[in-house]
Amino acid sequence: MKKKQTVHAPVQKNETITASFEDLTHDGAGVAKVDGYPLFVPYGIPGEKAKIKVIKTKKGYGFGKLVERLEESEERTDPPCPIYYQCGGCQIQHMSYDAQLRYKQKQVQDALSKIGGLKEVEVHPTLGMEDPWRYRNKAQVPIGTRNDGHLKAGFYQKRSHRIIDMEACIIQQKENDDSVQAVKEIADKYNIKAYDEEKHRGTLRHVVTRYAKTTGQLMVIFITNGEELPHKKKLIEDIRQGIPNVASIVQNINTKRTNVIFGDKTRVLWGEEYIYDHIGDVTFAISARSFYQVNPAQTKVLYDKALEYARLRGNETVIDAYCGIGTISLFLAKNAKHVYGVESVPEAVADAKRNARLNKMENVDFAVGEAESVIPWWHQAHGIHPDVFVVDPPRKGCDETLLETMLKMQPQRIVYVSCNPATLARDLKKLEEGGYETKEVQPVDMFPQTTHVECVAKVVLNV
Ligand code: SAH
């Protein structure tokens, strides 16, 4: 048996030390070093000196709590949200927006050089929002019961399931905030009971609202623990009066003991099944459960970059792997000969096809399945040779088989859209080893005030 190594952290639990922050982790915590031993401390900013209480020590690293700031960074700012430190939905409101954008650029640079060995690749400054607030187009709010018996609608306290009542979430579009408040008051007026997750009783689990800024349409979704929703008619009437731009009122039923918000069954209570939104000149139909980017303004910025990197002239064959509801596919289709999209979730593909019809686009095809199985088959059985390959995988990155298939198919250009710099770097390395070169990477801030980093890479075949 291997002898257990004794751990000699230079600090001890509960000890208070003084140290300076040198870096930030990918969850936005400050990194202070004591004799080379890193301590991760939420809300610390590089350049700051602080008193830190050691909370936990492990082999090689530890965790601390910021007790007092002794020197303050110019990048620090007062978080405007009054519930920022309780909520946990945002992680970097205490940093100025410029600092947030630089932090995201550095995350990408560090991942590319440390994980991908790509030290020379140019990572552009992050494209941010002019006004990095009130950008989210979807609110999903848990409902609970206050001590006085009335309904509360809010957020789960950090690392818990306690619901804190909330009046506003300042990264939500105002229409969502206002509608959630209105729905809460109306449901309370008709004495609808909140769901109690411990007892698995009560009716209303979540209120979800989706807002399409370009059309002004709003959708209200009641997520209920069962078929029953008392006083349905009155609820609908009051909502229509209280929220004039409501276009769709929907009930979704979720009877499971689960943290997953949506159940399998959805029914329209009033109005349309869909609301419509535009990104550029493409129209999208959004149903209660459709996946849709939450920051449409920045989505346009991201897709414009993807389009630029794809360098389409009109006669190209394009593959869009991990295509979701076909947002990128349709955005590229107007400039390409043909786009093939593939996506593993059948409902998303149904949405993609509907969106293609809605936009009268005939040069797109969508298939359900795993990209790594469907695309090799397209290649072998149908002889499809893409000029441009677009991928937008989930956090875990591209499947190994898919990367190998890309190398076999030899597209001229690969446009890699990524929400995780670490797996992006890993995959770019494999593409480089297979004869491709990463030309440039553009981070785009899709989620201001949070640590999420999105970027797009331009990769070309070496000749
Ligand atoms: N490009 C889309 C969605 C990207 S999210 C947009 O911008 O809106 C990533 C998508 O990949 C999700 O829709 C997920 O369902 C899908 N997915 C995950 N694993 C997959 C796989 N192995 N093959 C195909 N699609 C997959």
Side-chain angles (χ1 to χ4, degrees), residues 32 42 79 92 125 127 209 215 239 400:
I92 50 175
L127 295 173
T209 67
T215 58
I239 287 174
E400 179 95 43

Side-chain angles (χ1 to χ4, degrees), residues 291 293 303 322-324 327-328 343-345 369-372 392-394:
F291 172 87
Q293 297 281 356
Y303 291 178
Y322 309 94
C323 72
T327 23
I328 298 181
E343 157 65 45
S344 58
V345 175
E370 276 164 351
E372 59 273 23
D392 182 8

Side-chain angles (χ1 to χ4, degrees), residues 291-293 299 302-303 320-329 342-345 348 367-373 390-397 399 402 417 419 446 454:
F291 172 87
Y292 188 62
Q293 297 281 356
T299 300
L302 180 74
Y303 291 178
D320 178 16
Y322 309 94
C323 72
I325 62 163
T327 23
I328 298 181
S329 314
V342 55
E343 157 65 45
S344 58
V345 175
V368 182
E370 276 164 351
E372 59 273 23
S373 327
V390 181
V391 292
D392 182 8
R395 289 190 62 76
K396 67 175 197 258
D399 186 272
L402 181 67
V417 181
C419 56
M446 301 286 276
E454 186 92 17

Side-chain angles (χ1 to χ4, degrees), residues 172-180 209 211 218 243 245:
Q172 280 297 345
Q173 287 171 354
K174 185 84 170 50
E175 290 75 5
N176 282 329
D177 261 351
D178 292 349
S179 313
V180 168
T209 67
Y211 179 62
L218 195 129
I243 310 171
N245 54 346

